[in-house]
Amino acid sequence: MYSNEDFLIELLTEAGYVSPQDLQQAKINKKGQETPLTTLIKTGVVNEEQLAQLVASNSGMEYVDLHGFPANPALKTLVALELAKKYKIVPIGMNGSAMQIAVADPYDFETLDALPHVLQPELEFYCSTPNLIQETMVTIYGNEAMTGSTKGEGAGTVGDTDAPIIKLVENMLMDAFRNKTSDIHIEPLEKDIRVRFRMDGVMVDIEHHPKRLLSSIIARIKIMTGTMSIDEKRVPQDGRIQMKFGDKELDMRVSIIPTQNGESVVMRVLDKSSLRLGLSDLGFFSDDQDTFEKLISLPDGICLVTGPTGSGKTTTLYACLNFINRPDRKIITVEDPVEYELPGINQVMVREDVGMTFAAALRAMLRQAPNIIMLGEIRDSETAGIAIQASLTGHLVFSTLHTNDAPSAVARLADIGVKPFLIASAVRGILAQRLIRKLCAECKQPTGLSDKEMRHLGLEASQMASANIMGPQGCNKCRNSGYRGRMVIAEIFKVDDEVRTMINQDLTTPQLRKRARELGMRTLREDGVRKVLAGVTTASEVIDATMSDAE
């Protein structure tokens, strides 16, 4: 019932409510799981009001007598019933902007610390008895407050499951953090709950839990965000969790949607260490890195990074900004959403609900006199047009497009309404990329390639003499997968004078691609082959990531 009963018994003894003989008798008479304090109250040695008043006085809180507390329907809008039952509290009014809350245990510091985050920062605490708080809860919320569970499939007994659920969720997040997980998926199935982690781009089945725990797990995650409604289970909700594990900060974007079997959760783990990555950390070989660094060091124009969702485009853009960020340059970004805070860079978040679209933000940014602009994505003709004009008036612009390869970006810009002569004038270079898994350095083993793999990769037997082909083995460091971490494979399409002429002539993407190859552009698959031959990844990883690149 109370968090520190030994301390409370000492208070009662010092105040003269309980004698040593009373305490000894209580220890003898207590039944089952009863505590001595519970027995003292049950046998009438001390009553709850006396204890609550003593505790209130000692803790510096004001005691509030809730006998006959009037029914006030407005109070239930201040605190959700699930929260009231979870923390054993009731709202009793407002004092200006401060919410007044009655608690049963002023020494439950975990609860007192949590409430400002899950309710509102400004709270006034009062102390009352557990029974009076329960009675007042029924007065405010109705008969539903008398039950130990809340409505909805899988709801468990509040109180009985709180501590285990808190630990379960915390352990899940710690496990994800330790294993460098990018996404945590909590999926309600017909008979149980499946938890999966996405590690190095691959979904891995981690554990299953009884279906009855679903509501408690979801409620705990919603409470941790501090912004989601526990009662609302019919519409999608988005939030964010920020917490610390030791000296490490964990930042997650949370998405919850209702499904046929209950609410489903995806938590995207935002790895702040990626903010410090350089281009070499992404997996570029030195020649590609040198070419790309020259492109992003130009004084103006547009540099595009292309690829499907999940191919690491944003991380590459951040690495570009890290490379060119200097005190004498002003950099502004427009992102949807701003996932990471970049030191020394002005970041703007898209909010279409208030009219802050990519285009509107970009127009406003240009009045801030930036040297360098980063757009999260070029989505439409308006945004593309403004970005083109910015690049032609002395700004260096970075952005992304969803295309399969680098030359296709030209056609994509034309499709959304940009004239070929503007594309030719503004675009300086296009990087297409994919992410592939790296072999675990601790356990990779020498191996060979099958005839089929060599055909897919376009390799000749003569090329194998100097190759260092390695394969996955599996160890504790990589969870026996054989892979640890991911890297970029890339193709870099430089827009030089000859390519500009071709764009102005409105040549097709295959024609552009053919000429770019003749001028030395290495394709995604060819870059992947280099990394297979160097022993840092496998043929299957490259083949799977570059199916559209097969020729």
Side-chain angles (χ1 to χ4, degrees), residues 286-423:
S286 57
D287 53 350
D288 280 345
Q289 182 177 335
D290 183 58
T291 299
F292 193 53
E293 285 178 356
K294 288 177 181 177
L295 285 174
I296 65 176
S297 298
L298 294 171
D300 55 26
I302 293 180
C303 292
L304 295 171
V305 180
T306 77
T309 299
S311 59
K313 300 187 296 295
T314 301
T315 301
T316 298
L317 288 182
Y318 284 162
C320 291
L321 296 184
N322 282 335
F323 179 75
I324 61 178
N325 189 14
R326 297 200 313 253
D328 62 337
R329 292 175 170 174
K330 179 162 185 174
I331 302 176
I332 304 182
T333 74
V334 183
E335 303 171 66
D336 182 19
V338 173
E339 292 186 347
Y340 305 97
E341 293 184 10
L342 300 169
I345 293 175
N346 302 276
Q347 294 173 269
V348 178
M349 184 169 71
V350 169
R351 289 192 58 193
E352 296 193 357
D353 57 328
V354 296
M356 182 63 87
T357 62
F358 270 106
L362 184 51
R363 283 196 196 92
M365 285 167 56
L366 292 174
R367 295 193 288 272
Q368 297 278 311
N371 303 105
I372 298 161
I373 296 167
M374 187 194 93
L375 294 174
E377 182 183 350
I378 292 178
R379 296 181 175 180
D380 51 46
S381 59
E382 185 180 18
T383 306
I386 301 169
I388 293 282
Q389 290 303 318
S391 70
L392 294 175
T393 54
H395 302 85
L396 181 60
V397 180
F398 293 96
S399 192
T400 70
L401 282 175
H402 289 279
T403 63
N404 285 330
D405 62 9
S408 296
V410 174
R412 174 63 182 144
L413 288 173
D415 287 344
I416 61 177
V418 182
K419 301 294 185 186
F421 76 92
L422 290 175
I423 299 173

Side-chain angles (χ1 to χ4, degrees), residues 47-123:
N47 62 51
E48 281 195 339
E49 285 80 0
Q50 290 171 326
L51 177 57
Q53 289 172 4
L54 182 63
V55 167
S57 174
N58 190 266
S59 66
M61 277 189 193
E62 184 179 339
Y63 174 78
V64 58
D65 185 354
L66 295 177
H67 281 106
F69 190 86
N72 183 353
L75 291 176
K76 68 171 66 176
T77 64
L78 299 179
V79 179
L81 174 57
E82 286 187 64
L83 276 179
K85 291 200 291 187
K86 175 180 178 62
Y87 290 107
K88 302 174 182 63
I89 61 172
V90 287
I92 57 175
M94 295 291 295
N95 180 17
S97 60
M99 187 189 304
Q100 297 170 312
I101 299 292
V103 301
D105 187 357
Y107 295 105
D108 183 1
F109 298 117
E110 184 176 344
T111 290
L112 297 184
D113 288 341
L115 289 175
H117 298 287
V118 300
L119 294 176
Q120 66 174 50
E122 201 172 346
L123 299 173

